[in-house]
Amino acid sequence: VQLQASGGGLVQPGGSLRLSCEASGGTFSSWTVAWFRQAPGKERGFVAAVKRSGLSFVYADAVKGRFTISRDKVKNTVMLQMSSLEPEDTAVYFCAFRFGEVVVSAMRQEQQYGYWGQGTQVTVSS
């Protein structure tokens, strides 16, 4: 499985960005995809996750109401629409993939995901 993440960049506070993560190289009948992020000097942390079925959308408290995760089942692509961005959102964003769907509590756990994208930088600064 290969994950191609894109869409990062530089944006002013209050602005918006849209990240995409496309999965290829496998048979994708059931999966869960998550976004994690790592700011300089900090550990990587959970941002949002979604199941292919669309039955569950999970968000970190820090981004709830500002970020929206969505998926395109046909294209095996997951998008992260980020709005009202804050300097604290500055980080490298990673998409992560696993086959199959897990319980909601597990969707936040790094160890659930066996495939990771290369990371895309998001910088929020004036």
Side-chain angles (χ1 to χ4, degrees), residues 22 90 122:
E22 180 179 5
T90 295
V122 171

Side-chain angles (χ1 to χ4, degrees), residues 5-66:
S6 61
L10 172 65
V11 64
Q12 292 187 342
S16 298
L17 278 176
R18 189 188 197 209
L19 306 182
S20 292
C21 177
E22 180 179 5
S24 61
T27 302
F28 303 108
S29 59
S30 176
W31 46 255
T32 304
V33 169
W35 287 95
F36 291 80
R37 66 186 181 184
Q38 186 168 21
K42 295 187 177 181
E43 292 186 354
R44 190 161 58 186
F46 172 77
V47 177
V50 63
K51 299 179 182 180
R52 182 183 185 274
S53 63
L55 291 177
S56 298
F57 297 82
V58 183
Y59 296 92
D61 289 344
V63 307
K64 202 172 294 184
R66 300 188 298 122

Side-chain angles (χ1 to χ4, degrees), residues 38-115:
Q38 186 168 21
K42 295 187 177 181
E43 292 186 354
R44 190 161 58 186
F46 172 77
V47 177
V50 63
K51 299 179 182 180
R52 182 183 185 274
S53 63
L55 291 177
S56 298
F57 297 82
V58 183
Y59 296 92
D61 289 344
V63 307
K64 202 172 294 184
R66 300 188 298 122
F67 292 11
T68 302
I69 192 168
S70 60
R71 87 273 186 252
D72 183 325
K73 294 190 293 184
V74 174
K75 297 181 178 179
N76 294 310
T77 299
V78 171
M79 289 70 69
L80 185 68
Q81 178 67 45
M82 306 184 294
S83 302
S84 301
L85 283 162
E86 305 168 350
E88 293 73 24
D89 296 315
T90 295
V92 177
Y93 284 69
F94 298 89
C95 63
F97 173 97
R98 62 158 292 144
F99 288 103
E101 299 186 348
V102 295
V103 296
V104 168
S105 58
M107 293 170 69
R108 302 172 180 268
Q109 300 170 357
E110 279 196 35
Q111 62 267 33
Q112 296 292 335
Y113 301 91
Y115 302 91

